[in-house]
Amino acid sequence: MAGIAGHTGTAPGAPVARPGPYAWFVLAILCFVYVLNFLDRQLLSILAKPIQDELGVSDSQLGLIGGLYFAMFYCILAIPVGWLADRGNRVRVLAFSCALWSAATAACGMASSYPQLVAARMTVGVGEAGGVPPSYAIISDYFPSGTRGTALSLFNLGPPIGQALGVAFGASIAAAYSWRQAFIWVGVVGVITATAVWLLVREPAKGGLDRGAVPAPAPEAGKGGAPFWPTLRAFFASPVLRGIALACGATQFITYAMLNFTVLMLMREKGMSLEQVAVWYALVMGVGIAAGMAASGWLIDRLARRSKAAYAWLPALGLALAVPLFIAFVSAGSWQLALAFLLLPTGLNYFYLSPAVTLVQEEVRPDQRVLSGALLLLVMNLIGLGLGPTYLGAASDFFRAQGTERPLQMAFYSLLPFYALAIGMFLLVARRIRQQTMQEANR
């Protein structure tokens, strides 16, 4: 899969075209949609305690609704939705998806039972599957080669901003009014945003900014890119690509488990209030995740020049440094001390994402990059988003049934073996990369 069939970047020495004001306007709207995507997703974990108090939801049920039930639709539907967007109007797919997940978010606030809440959250997952793939394609057709990296990096600030705003506004609204109002208000904002996308964002010409680039060989007649099944088989046949996807999945098992239950633990076992969550936990999330993504991206650009294996050993190093701080966070006796210890591991836990995405993009041909990136996300999210929260909720209920005084705290401690598993998997990938590099050098 490593063979490159062509190059679509700017020709050497050619001037780089600059995007106009409308392109930046579109980027701002799409970034806001991405913020809403993660804000809606985070509300359930932020408002877990009041939801449990009113609907009588157990930790296991909370883990299922935030993990497996959501992931079944979000992860699997992302690939066909991306395929559909590639062949149709991407702006309309994005606008419809945003309206759907926003309406479903509002419906969460109207749920009067656990099954109704499950149905609404599943629908949120269906809608959010159409959020990111069309946005990447739209941005790539508004920003020419030489400016796309900057545009996409700004777009990818959506998750940390969304997570921080979800904590701040979700907790504030819930504290002042009710958890139901938080879901409804955020859903209404999303429907308004979807309407703005439909009316204000124009569908760009596909590949229109690549015409001056060095062309790639033309695809076969009737085909718009690399075939689906051969690309899928080649991805999973590659030890490096398969290994990096599984290692990222093991890491996301930890990160999504924490994202879904940290607020609940801070409130239930550390004595934190919703008002305090809205300020202090929001700051930890926003600063920690954004710093981790930015630092790992800056480091991998420099370290990979010396050794390609850095794409795997840098995430392993980040996780290893996070372990003692994670233990200190879980064992802290107050929420203030817990948040102080949580800041660094929040960033270090995300050292895997930029290296992994970059490695996959560099290992495959240009006409395989979109699908290969989708396959990476499929593996990561099915394991991490699908199983991480589900496991932690079940573990908490298990320890409660055993009479443990702090069952959720013990469930967090049980994540430590998964840290060891993820570190070991990344080191194995680093070894495979070195072996592959040596084989290529000896050819």
Side-chain angles (χ1 to χ4, degrees), residues 122-420:
M122 283 180 162
T123 308
V124 172
V126 172
E128 289 192 4
V132 178
S135 296
Y136 277 138
I138 293 167
I139 291 169
S140 295
D141 282 329
Y142 268 109
F143 288 81
S145 181
T147 65
R148 285 175 189 153
T150 298
L152 289 172
S153 67
L154 291 173
F155 174 74
N156 281 325
L157 289 176
I161 294 173
Q163 289 166 344
L165 290 180
V167 174
F169 289 108
S172 297
I173 293 171
Y177 301 97
S178 73
W179 66 268
R180 295 182 181 279
Q181 290 299 314
F183 278 104
I184 292 170
W185 289 13
V186 170
V188 169
V189 170
V191 172
I192 295 172
T193 302
T195 305
V197 171
W198 186 283
L199 296 176
L200 301 178
V201 177
R202 298 191 297 267
E203 172 74 5
K206 294 177 182 177
L209 297 180
D210 293 327
R211 291 168 185 163
V214 178
E220 297 177 31
K223 296 185 178 180
F228 178 84
W229 292 111
T231 301
L232 185 147
R233 286 193 296 268
F235 182 94
F236 288 107
S238 166
V240 169
L241 296 182
R242 183 178 65 245
I244 201 73
L246 291 172
C248 288
T251 305
Q252 284 201 340
F253 187 98
I254 301 166
T255 59
Y256 272 114
M258 291 181 64
L259 281 174
N260 277 267
F261 283 96
T262 294
V263 171
L264 187 59
M265 189 175 76
L266 287 170
M267 293 181 66
R268 182 194 292 171
E269 302 187 5
K270 308 291 185 186
M272 203 172 187
S273 68
L274 266 178
E275 292 87 350
Q276 292 163 338
V277 166
V279 177
W280 300 109
Y281 183 63
L283 285 173
V284 168
M285 292 296 293
V287 173
I289 296 177
M293 289 186 175
S296 61
W298 183 84
L299 285 169
I300 201 62
D301 278 342
R302 285 148 184 81
L303 295 173
R305 296 171 190 167
R306 304 176 184 177
S307 171
K308 191 176 177 181
Y311 287 116
W313 66 251
L314 179 63
L317 177 62
L319 291 172
L321 293 174
V323 168
L325 295 166
F326 171 79
I327 296 173
F329 152 68
V330 177
S331 61
S334 66
W335 67 262
Q336 294 92 337
L337 194 57
L339 286 185
F341 284 123
L342 182 62
L343 180 61
L344 274 177
T346 296
L348 292 168
N349 282 346
Y350 284 87
F351 262 39
Y352 73 97
L353 193 55
S354 294
V357 173
T358 305
L359 174 63
V360 169
Q361 295 299 298
E362 292 187 356
E363 281 291 293
V364 303
R365 300 197 315 263
D367 62 341
Q368 297 172 320
R369 285 175 178 162
V370 175
L371 181 54
S372 297
L375 291 171
L376 172 68
L377 293 175
L378 174 68
V379 175
M380 289 196 309
N381 288 324
L382 276 178
I383 296 173
L385 178 58
L387 301 181
T390 304
Y391 163 80
L392 196 62
S396 178
D397 281 349
F398 170 79
F399 287 119
R400 178 179 289 105
Q402 302 303 308
T404 304
E405 184 179 354
R406 294 174 178 254
L408 190 52
Q409 184 181 55
M410 289 301 299
F412 266 76
Y413 280 129
S414 73
L415 290 175
L416 287 171
F418 294 99
Y419 267 106

Side-chain angles (χ1 to χ4, degrees), residues 36-57:
L36 288 176
N37 183 297
F38 263 78
L39 195 160
D40 291 356
R41 197 183 307 179
Q42 282 298 105
L43 276 181
L44 184 69
S45 61
I46 296 159
L47 304 176
K49 193 173 187 306
I51 290 172
Q52 285 187 322
D53 292 343
E54 182 171 336
L55 298 184
V57 178

